[in-house]
Amino acid sequence: MKEKFYVTTPIYYPNDLPHIGHAYTTIAADIIARWNKRQGKDVFFTTGTDDHGKKIVESAEKAGKTPKQFTDDLIPEFKSAWKKLDIKYDRFIRTTDADHEKVVGEILQKCFNKGDIYKGKYEGLYCTACESYFTEKDLDDGNCPIHKKPVEKLSEETYFFKLSKYQDKLLAFYKDNPEFILPKRRGKEIINRIKEGLHDVSISRASFDWGIQLPFDNSHVAYVWFDALFNYYSATREKGKENFWPANLHIIGKDILWFHAVYWPAFLMSAEIPLPKQIFAHGWWTLNKEKISKSRGKIISIDELIGIAGLDSARYFLFREASFGEDGDFSKSALIARHNNELADKLGNLVSRTSALAEKYGIEKTENQLLEKLNIDKIKIHFNEFRIDKALSEIFAFIDETNEFIQAQKPWETHDKKVLYQVVDALREIAKLLAPFIPSTAEKISEIFRTNKIKKSPILFSKIEASVSSETSRKTNKSGIQNKTMENVKTIQFEDFAKLDLRVAHITRVEEIPKADKLYKLSLNVGELGERTICAGIKEFYSPKDLKDKKIIIIANLAPRKLRGIESQGMLLAASTKDKKIVTLISPDKDIEAGSIVG
Ligand code: MSP
């Protein structure tokens, strides 16, 4: 039987569209789920939404909808965001799902029968944004310490859960399971706070009815966190999923660690349900060093995130830029820099170069000394301890080794098939390791090198200019003339321009083509891209002698075309007057090497 692995994301409040913060938790879980699947485990991966509670009631009121209608309208947004981010979850659970509501009702009754739930009066403070109770001493300048917003004074009849009863049991549990809360230092903070004393917690509200009714008092609904935390368990009450409980890993943000590390195990102890194995609390992202906030426009939507440099670059960036567990700062320019310098220059170039050389010279199996430099065990340990950023850096360290190897071996000069085999084989391994992080690129790389008949790959990552927005460029054009002209030009995005592979080529031979009065057949040396033949309509303007040994610029990735029965494998760049009476080749200096990139 396969080993089971159950990983969860928090369930998100569907009171607004998901943003980069939600994406981060969800992609982390997706990476870990994909990795464990590749290790041969039977994986169950859940995500979903936290539909109940005061926050949703208030947002629905503002939108003029019922809470049910309001949340129903937002769920497709979450599902489509996860689809765009290539999240392969197994169940999307909503706390309004009938099976979940049934489980929570039964558990409430069980805890009540046991005497762990009792009626009382709550007098205190509440922050609806975090759906959390506070005491005066928790506040930050009179505001909620997390949202920095005023808190509400509550004075109402409520049912309490005897959290205080579980203080010692919790401390004993952490002692026996020192890896329960990760990163470990966050566990220490929790333990210190518990040692200050745990108060019983209110677990019902009677002032609104959007929630799961208490089975023993239908004038109250369950407190949203009691309801929400049990989603992890109720998702496994589905037929065939029972053995996935207890969960292996709950991935959450550091802001909701207290609920997960204290309330959740105590509720489970009371309900006599086994406890999950680990909780990993990651850090928070700021945006250009500022707190993410929709009201202040400091937010990155899922579409914006993907729009900067594509999905895989976004997924890559989030787990390369910050240590998993620590805070990180997001900026468009940092993402573009990593996309250009690491994905396009290091990985993309390695793939295109290797595939072009392997297509030309072939590969020959041999012992792979290069692969010996890949420390798979270290990567596995990083993954098992959820240091996913470290796993990714280790993979990239090997990509650097591979680049150095090919640079030192120069297979474009030696045509050494054994060297090329080693690099191809290394790239097959790299693709497998990268698959959890950048699934679609990894799939493309695997496909390119799947068999020994390798074809030159299309460009995987086009470079992006660290974009000056049209807004800024407009401001910098003082004269206004350029703006006027730009209005008449059909513009393209930089990404489209970057798709062109422009190269310096050396003309090694010039031949006439029978019956063609305008065309020459040119043989070119394009450095690492090898030899090319192109047909060029420049006969009226240049003699063969003028052309031989000239350096020109060609578009090297244009689909080949047959001209007069000859396959033309590219196009040269030339400038011409409107009437085409003068045509001159764009020609770089002689000392620039053939194959050099233009752009
Ligand atoms: N509904 C609760 C969770 C219940 S789980 C039983 C909730 N939802 S939430 O929609 O507010 O956010 C959930 C997740 O998004 C948390 O893990 C939180 O840390 C994450 N993030 C929201 N903003 C974030 C950042 N700016 N950075 C990183 N993650 C952040 O809490």
Side-chain angles (χ1 to χ4, degrees):
M1 244 231 318
K2 278 189 180 177
E3 189 183 333
K4 295 218 169 330
F5 186 83
Y6 176 27
V7 58
T8 67
T9 74
I11 47 170
Y12 305 103
Y13 291 123
N15 66 323
D16 215 329
L17 301 176
H19 60 66
I20 182 177
H22 309 119
Y24 185 58
T25 322
T26 315
I27 300 171
D30 185 61
I31 291 171
I32 292 172
R34 285 176 188 263
W35 168 261
N36 280 282
K37 249 181 236 168
R38 289 186 160 257
Q39 297 310 297
K41 294 186 198 166
D42 188 7
V43 172
F44 188 42
F45 166 22
T46 63
T47 188
T49 51
D50 193 352
D51 293 1
H52 292 131
K54 187 78 187 304
K55 188 176 174 121
I56 300 295
V57 170
E58 286 181 2
S59 307
E61 257 166 28
K62 268 192 212 144
K65 295 182 185 177
T66 63
K68 179 75 174 92
Q69 191 56 54
F70 178 72
T71 51
D72 281 355
D73 289 349
L74 270 157
I75 304 309
E77 300 286 348
F78 280 83
K79 291 192 172 164
S80 115
W82 302 155
K83 195 163 181 207
K84 288 178 192 165
L85 291 170
D86 209 353
I87 307 293
K88 292 269 182 290
Y89 59 80
D90 297 297
R91 173 160 177 190
F92 188 100
I93 185 166
R94 293 180 60 179
T95 47
T96 41
D97 287 346
D99 60 343
H100 168 77
E101 293 197 343
K102 184 164 173 277
V103 169
V104 174
E106 287 165 3
I107 287 168
L108 281 163
Q109 188 67 55
K110 186 167 182 189
C111 299
F112 182 71
N113 294 347
K114 240 180 124 166
D116 278 355
I117 294 177
Y118 63 93
K119 200 172 187 175
K121 190 167 181 199
Y122 178 76
E123 304 252 8
L125 308 164
Y126 194 77
C127 168
T128 305
C130 42
E131 298 279 19
S132 180
Y133 298 97
F134 288 108
T135 62
E136 287 288 349
K137 130 177 162 328
D138 299 326
L139 301 187
D140 181 0
D141 251 357
N143 288 329
C144 156
I146 295 166
H147 294 90
K148 316 280 181 223
K149 283 184 187 163
V151 287
E152 193 187 345
K153 264 210 162 84
L154 293 185
S155 170
E156 58 186 36
E157 182 190 81
T158 186
Y159 283 88
F160 283 95
F161 174 79
K162 276 191 191 161
L163 188 62
S164 55
K165 173 177 157 187
Y166 291 93
Q167 174 161 338
D168 293 339
K169 288 196 175 99
L170 285 170
L171 291 172
F173 175 75
Y174 303 137
K175 200 162 180 210
D176 294 343
N177 299 276
E179 312 247 302
F180 178 64
I181 303 169
L182 292 173
K184 278 190 181 172
R185 73 184 154 76
R186 294 204 196 276
K188 287 192 190 123
E189 288 163 23
I190 295 284
I191 292 170
N192 290 340
R193 215 174 128 190
I194 292 183
K195 283 184 179 160
E196 286 173 18
L198 281 181
H199 300 288
D200 292 348
V201 54
S202 158
I203 52 121
S204 77
R205 301 292 304 264
S207 53
F208 58 88
D209 63 0
W210 178 239
I212 300 176
Q213 272 183 2
L214 300 189
F216 42 86
D217 184 344
N218 61 16
S219 62
H220 283 245
V221 291
Y223 169 43
V224 64
W225 274 100
F226 191 97
D227 166 357
L229 286 161
F230 276 97
N231 92 85
Y232 302 131
Y233 175 69
S234 52
T236 65
R237 297 307 88 195
E238 206 180 296
K239 206 158 177 260
K241 301 291 181 210
E242 296 91 341
N243 291 338
F244 281 103
W245 192 261
N248 295 75
L249 178 66
H250 295 314
I251 296 180
I252 56 164
K254 63 178 184 181
D255 53 317
I256 53 175
L257 181 59
W258 181 255
F259 300 97
H260 283 81
V262 182
Y263 289 9
W264 181 221
F267 294 161
L268 286 168
M269 284 174 181
S270 171
E272 294 163 26
I273 296 170
L275 268 51
K277 297 192 179 126
Q278 286 184 305
I279 296 171
F280 190 101
H282 64 68
W284 263 49
W285 285 90
T286 47
L287 185 56
N288 301 315
K289 304 263 158 67
E290 288 190 67
K291 192 170 183 279
I292 291 181
S293 144
K294 179 150 190 221
S295 54
R296 284 184 293 120
K298 301 271 176 273
I299 200 148
I300 289 246
S301 70
I302 307 299
D303 286 334
E304 279 167 331
L305 174 66
I306 299 171
I308 300 169
L311 170 61
D312 278 355
S313 298
R315 286 181 63 120
Y316 170 80
F317 174 81
L318 291 174
F319 293 91
R320 195 72 209 279
E321 181 74 2
S323 267
F324 193 50
E326 303 305 317
D327 294 343
D329 182 54
F330 184 91
S331 73
K332 224 168 154 175
S333 55
L335 194 162
I336 292 175
R338 287 203 184 267
H339 166 93
N340 285 345
N341 305 336
E342 294 162 24
L343 292 173
D345 277 353
K346 292 185 175 176
L347 179 62
N349 253 346
L350 178 63
V351 169
S352 71
R353 212 173 182 195
T354 309
S355 59
L357 292 165
E359 174 180 44
K360 196 149 195 291
Y361 305 116
I363 58 176
E364 188 182 322
K365 199 167 177 177
T366 182
E367 196 185 318
N368 198 339
Q369 286 169 349
L370 172 62
L371 257 190
E372 282 167 18
K373 295 186 180 149
L374 175 65
N375 196 341
I376 296 239
D377 288 340
K378 201 164 165 195
I379 294 172
K380 279 190 180 158
I381 294 170
H382 284 321
F383 260 115
N384 291 341
E385 294 175 5
F386 313 120
R387 288 191 298 265
I388 44 185
D389 57 300
K390 303 278 177 311
L392 188 53
S393 334
E394 197 61 38
I395 302 167
F396 262 75
F398 181 63
I399 292 173
D400 285 342
E401 294 268 11
T402 309
N403 271 317
E404 277 163 29
F405 177 81
I406 199 167
Q407 207 55 38
Q409 299 290 329
K410 297 195 178 7
W412 52 91
E413 282 173 13
T414 63
H415 310 176
D416 188 332
K417 293 180 180 180
K418 290 186 176 170
V419 163
L420 287 172
Y421 168 82
Q422 294 182 64
V423 182
V424 164
D425 201 27
L427 275 164
R428 288 174 180 154
E429 239 7 86
I430 288 168
K432 281 189 219 152
L433 293 169
L434 285 177
F437 295 96
I438 47 172
S440 87
T441 305
E443 177 64 36
K444 281 183 203 150
I445 302 176
S446 296
E447 197 42 43
I448 293 162
F449 298 111
R450 198 169 51 84
T451 68
N452 292 345
K453 275 211 167 352
I454 295 159
K455 291 233 169 313
K456 178 169 172 22
S457 79
I459 290 175
L460 293 180
F461 297 97
S462 310
K463 282 208 179 188
I464 298 174
E465 190 184 20
S467 83
V468 185
S469 70
S470 50
E471 195 55 37
T472 4
S473 58
R474 220 171 283 143
K475 275 187 208 146
T476 51
N477 289 329
K478 287 189 199 123
S479 66
I481 295 169
Q482 205 176 340
N483 280 340
K484 258 197 147 166
T485 20
M486 281 307 284
E487 273 160 25
N488 299 327
V489 173
K490 207 168 161 219
T491 56
I492 58 163
Q493 294 303 313
F494 184 81
E495 293 87 308
D496 294 323
F497 167 70
K499 285 184 192 149
L500 295 177
D501 188 5
L502 294 172
R503 300 287 184 133
V504 173
H506 172 193
I507 305 178
T508 53
R509 201 160 152 200
V510 185
E511 289 166 85
E512 306 252 352
I513 303 172
K515 291 196 205 131
D517 35 340
K518 293 201 168 122
L519 288 178
Y520 279 134
K521 177 179 167 189
L522 305 179
S523 301
L524 307 174
N525 165 13
V526 200
E528 64 179 27
L529 300 186
E531 306 289 324
R532 290 280 172 99
T533 302
I534 66 167
C535 298
I538 49 172
K539 202 166 162 185
E540 292 165 72
F541 312 99
Y542 289 90
S543 70
K545 202 167 100 271
D546 291 338
L547 289 172
K548 173 92 175 46
D549 287 330
K550 210 173 172 60
K551 294 264 172 71
I552 54 167
I553 293 171
I554 63 157
I555 304 172
N557 60 343
L558 201 65
R561 242 178 91 187
K562 275 219 162 142
L563 291 171
R564 303 268 166 174
I566 302 163
E567 188 181 78
S568 181
Q569 302 156 331
M571 193 177 136
L572 54 72
L573 296 191
S576 56
T577 50
K578 252 191 187 159
D579 57 9
K580 294 263 165 25
K581 289 216 163 109
I582 305 173
V583 171
T584 101
L585 288 171
I586 312 281
S587 181
D589 285 348
K590 277 229 172 327
D591 41 347
I592 184 127
E593 239 179 83
S596 300
I597 294 171
V598 181

